[in-house]
Amino acid sequence: MRLFTAIQFNEETIQELLRLQRELKRNVKCRKWQTPHHMHLTLHFLGELSRQQSELVQQEMEAVATTSPAFSLRLAKIGAFPNLTWPRVLWAGVQEQTPGLYDLQKTLAARLAHLGLYKEEKRYRPHITLAREPDTASFPLPMEKLPCVQAIAWTVQEIALFHSTLTPQGPIYHILGTYPLTGMQS
């Protein structure tokens, strides 16, 4: 099973992400625009795991969620990987100073790594994919052509474990479990 852990969004946040896509589409052609039901903020990409390993991941997610408090996130900017000059992925980012997000990601990463279920190969860079494979003829895109992000904030109250099935039409996501963040604020 191809698995990842992630944060989902409320409706207001999804609507802002869709607005950003509409504005980007005016200036950029992309091979694949992310659909609303595929929008999420990945915490950990775990890759192919067995059903037994999936159950271990779920146990660790539940344990971490019970000690992690809910926290706020805020949309912040438009960016690209590897960069805006020659992008392969266009994304929306979140406010940089969000200790709740980084604490949660780091704590769960450590627990999963200890069990051999996760290996973080790069520094965690939270982002929400908006589009893939933009037409490079559109770039470099002048900064004034990038849409302004409304700083929509939402409270993250749970984390989710997703199963991703790859198909020729694109991935299909199934939620295997959600885990409420019930820890107390320090």
Side-chain angles (χ1 to χ4, degrees):
M1 297 184 347
R2 190 170 190 259
L3 303 177
F4 63 92
T5 66
I7 292 169
Q8 299 177 88
F9 309 116
N10 62 15
E11 187 60 29
E12 182 182 19
T13 304
I14 289 173
Q15 290 307 312
E16 173 60 7
L17 295 169
L18 292 173
R19 184 192 68 78
L20 292 171
Q21 280 184 327
R22 284 190 304 274
E23 288 196 30
L24 281 167
K25 286 177 183 180
R26 293 180 188 154
N27 299 305
V28 181
K29 291 182 179 163
C30 290
R31 188 183 71 76
K32 172 91 171 93
W33 291 93
Q34 202 78 335
T35 60
H37 65 277
H38 282 103
M39 291 180 176
H40 59 272
L41 180 70
T42 300
L43 293 168
H44 313 88
F45 178 73
L46 304 172
E48 292 291 333
L49 297 179
S50 68
R51 185 161 306 281
Q52 183 180 16
Q53 289 172 316
S54 167
E55 290 170 5
L56 289 173
V57 170
Q58 291 179 61
Q59 290 170 12
E60 293 303 316
M61 290 180 75
E62 186 170 3
V64 169
T66 61
T67 61
S68 298
F71 57 91
S72 291
L73 284 180
R74 182 180 308 276
L75 292 178
K77 62 183 177 181
I78 297 287
F81 292 133
N83 57 55
L84 281 168
T85 303
W86 299 109
R88 286 194 303 270
V89 174
L90 295 174
W91 49 261
V94 295
Q95 182 181 9
E96 292 293 322
Q97 302 303 319
T98 52
L101 172 63
Y102 290 98
D103 292 347
L104 173 66
Q105 193 277 339
K106 187 172 137 183
T107 300
L108 185 54
R111 291 182 70 130
L112 294 172
H114 179 74
L115 296 173
L117 301 173
Y118 177 69
K119 182 178 180 185
E120 192 158 29
E121 297 177 3
K122 299 177 186 173
R123 177 178 66 90
Y124 179 60
R125 295 182 61 189
H127 66 280
I128 303 132
T129 299
L130 298 174
R132 296 181 185 279
E133 300 179 32
D135 179 0
T136 54
S138 304
F139 290 90
L141 191 64
M143 293 302 282
E144 64 271 7
K145 296 262 185 172
L146 290 176
C148 291
V149 177
Q150 292 181 24
I152 303 290
W154 74 99
T155 302
V156 177
Q157 297 181 358
E158 66 182 16
I159 54 176
L161 178 63
F162 285 83
H163 173 221
S164 173
T165 304
L166 299 179
T167 72
Q169 295 75 34
I172 299 171
Y173 297 156
H174 298 283
I175 296 175
L176 297 180
T178 56
Y179 307 91
L181 301 177
T182 58
M184 302 302 284
Q185 296 282 350
S186 53

